[in-house]
Amino acid sequence: MTLPANDAFTLGLPHDPARLGLRSSSSSSSSSKIPFVSSQKARSPSFARRSPARPAHSANRQMSVERTDPPRSSQVHSPTSNGSASSANGSAVRHRKTPRSTSQTSSSSSSQAAADIGKTVPPPVDWEIPRKTLHSSIGFLTLYLYASNGDPRKVVYALSLALAFIVPCDILRFRSARFEWLFERCVGFLMRESEKKTTNGVIWYIIGVIFVLSVYPLDIATVSILILSWADTAASTIGRLLGPYTAPLPRRLPLLRLPLAPRKSLAGFVAGSLTGAAIAVGFWGAFAPSARAAQLDFRLPAGLLSAAEESLPTALAELVQQSVEWVRASGLPVGRWIGLGTLGTVCGLISGTAEALDLGSLDDNLTLPIISGGCIWGFFKALEYFTGTSVSV
């Protein structure tokens, strides 16, 4: 409701009606009056500047743009001298900030954040280049010693002296913090993080090499060291590269029920198996072809061909006999190829399985050459028993 103006609301001072928000009167009264404005009327700009900002009720921060209030039926807007709108009573219309919708931006940013959370960032791969380089170089040194007819006893003696120096240093680094700092400063780049709190892997490596050189025949010991040097490196490298994209190995090996390490992958197993097969075929097929030559030359038993010809139909028996005669006349070492193929298959499975075994706290630098060399030696013993051939090393 509107109260009538009286003398209590009348001032005789000259003021600017537009600046103070005074209502212009159309009557003949010369005195300016301060209007009594209800709560529905617009407030003066000076009060708008003193009033605090309204609190944001939205959880998300929103962008705002200025927008003037729509004209009401009881007010008539007219432009002022500075270009701003004014109401019918001469007071300036207060501008209100209204939020602008940012639902599209918020939804896109939230979806992008959800996509980033869903992505699993793989950790950086530690290729262990210095360690793998030293690990693989032992294989070339082993081949050189074998080709130069080196005495394995001298090698064992040299490795024993090295072990007598490395073991006390490894014990001392656990007892002296200063020596541990100096030791890791010198050879820490060759160690894994797990080895810095446990026994150094070089110790198990030397013990495994000393064992195979002392127990196994020289050719089998050489191949077992090559498997340790090259097959283990290939399995580790390919496992780190392709392991996340292949299935893990089962907990136990089929048939034999041997425990397999859960951290091993199918890619590493295949790489270790192929490398072990290549080592065996390359060593006994090209590097030392005279070693185990009689055992690797597979021949059909004398009575097997006659028995096959009697049991097979006449046409098929004649085809088999002609094939055997053609192979003998050509001089192709088919028996040698079959022997090397069988050897490569067996040694590949032995190498991949020995590398993937889970033997608790035992280091694979110790178990890999011992297990692989022992299984290969057993394979040759079986060939010697069934074929009746002697060993020529």
Side-chain angles (χ1 to χ4, degrees), residues 134-144 205 225-226 229-230:
L134 178 62
H135 204 279
S136 302
S137 63
I138 304 299
F140 296 100
L141 179 61
T142 305
L143 285 178
Y144 170 76
Y205 196 105
I225 295 174
L226 294 179
S229 178
W230 295 342

Side-chain angles (χ1 to χ4, degrees), residues 294-350:
Q295 293 177 322
L296 295 176
D297 190 8
F298 286 7
R299 297 180 181 274
L300 293 175
L304 180 61
L305 185 58
S306 301
E309 292 177 355
E310 293 177 358
S311 60
L312 293 176
T314 305
L316 187 57
E318 291 179 358
L319 180 61
V320 171
Q321 185 177 4
Q322 292 176 2
S323 300
V324 172
E325 291 177 357
W326 180 84
V327 170
R328 289 176 180 176
S330 62
L332 295 176
V334 179
R336 177 75 173 177
W337 294 345
I338 296 176
L340 289 176
T342 305
L343 174 68
T345 303
V346 173
C347 291
L349 293 177
I350 290 173

Side-chain angles (χ1 to χ4, degrees), residues 45-313:
S46 60
F47 182 82
R49 286 195 299 268
R50 290 195 303 267
S51 62
R54 294 182 180 180
H57 297 285
S58 176
N60 298 327
R61 184 173 296 177
Q62 298 177 339
M63 301 177 60
S64 301
V65 294
E66 294 185 356
R67 189 182 65 182
T68 58
D69 289 335
R72 298 179 182 178
S73 59
S74 61
Q75 296 178 353
V76 178
H77 295 266
S78 61
T80 58
S81 61
N82 58 356
S84 61
S86 61
S87 60
N89 59 0
S91 61
V93 177
R94 187 170 66 90
H95 298 286
R96 183 177 60 186
K97 293 183 178 181
T98 57
R100 185 172 59 188
S101 175
T102 58
S103 59
Q104 183 177 2
T105 306
S106 301
S107 61
S108 61
S109 60
S110 61
S111 61
Q112 183 66 25
D116 294 340
I117 295 175
K119 295 180 181 178
T120 56
V121 179
V125 179
D126 185 10
W127 298 107
E128 300 178 346
I129 296 178
R131 177 187 177 92
K132 297 303 181 185
T133 303
L134 178 62
H135 204 279
S136 302
S137 63
I138 304 299
F140 296 100
L141 179 61
T142 305
L143 285 178
Y144 170 76
L145 293 176
Y146 184 87
S148 60
N149 296 324
D151 190 358
R153 291 177 296 181
K154 294 181 180 180
V155 178
V156 171
Y157 179 73
L159 292 177
S160 300
L161 290 179
L163 195 64
F165 173 76
I166 296 175
V167 170
C169 292
D170 201 60
I171 295 175
L172 183 59
R173 73 183 177 96
F174 291 117
R175 298 180 179 271
S176 174
R178 181 175 299 179
F179 185 79
E180 180 184 6
W181 177 84
L182 180 62
F183 186 87
E184 293 183 0
R185 188 70 179 272
C186 297
V187 296
F189 66 97
L190 298 174
M191 302 171 60
R192 290 174 177 170
E193 290 296 329
S194 59
E195 293 178 351
K196 293 182 179 181
K197 301 301 180 182
T198 57
T199 305
N200 196 344
V202 177
I203 296 176
W204 302 117
Y205 196 105
I206 296 176
I207 293 176
V209 172
I210 291 175
F211 182 88
V212 298
L213 289 176
S214 303
V215 176
Y216 300 152
L218 185 57
D219 61 334
I220 295 178
T222 302
V223 170
S224 64
I225 295 174
L226 294 179
I227 290 176
L228 170 63
S229 178
W230 295 342
D232 184 37
T233 302
S236 177
T237 304
I238 300 300
R240 293 168 187 261
L241 180 64
L242 302 177
Y245 306 101
T246 58
L249 294 178
R251 293 184 176 271
R252 292 190 176 273
L253 187 69
L255 300 179
L256 299 179
R257 307 300 297 169
L258 296 175
L260 300 178
R263 67 181 183 277
K264 304 292 183 178
S265 63
L266 181 60
F269 177 81
V270 172
S273 301
L274 294 178
T275 307
I279 289 171
V281 173
F283 181 82
W284 279 295
F287 192 80
S290 59
R292 314 281 176 176
Q295 293 177 322
L296 295 176
D297 190 8
F298 286 7
R299 297 180 181 274
L300 293 175
L304 180 61
L305 185 58
S306 301
E309 292 177 355
E310 293 177 358
S311 60
L312 293 176

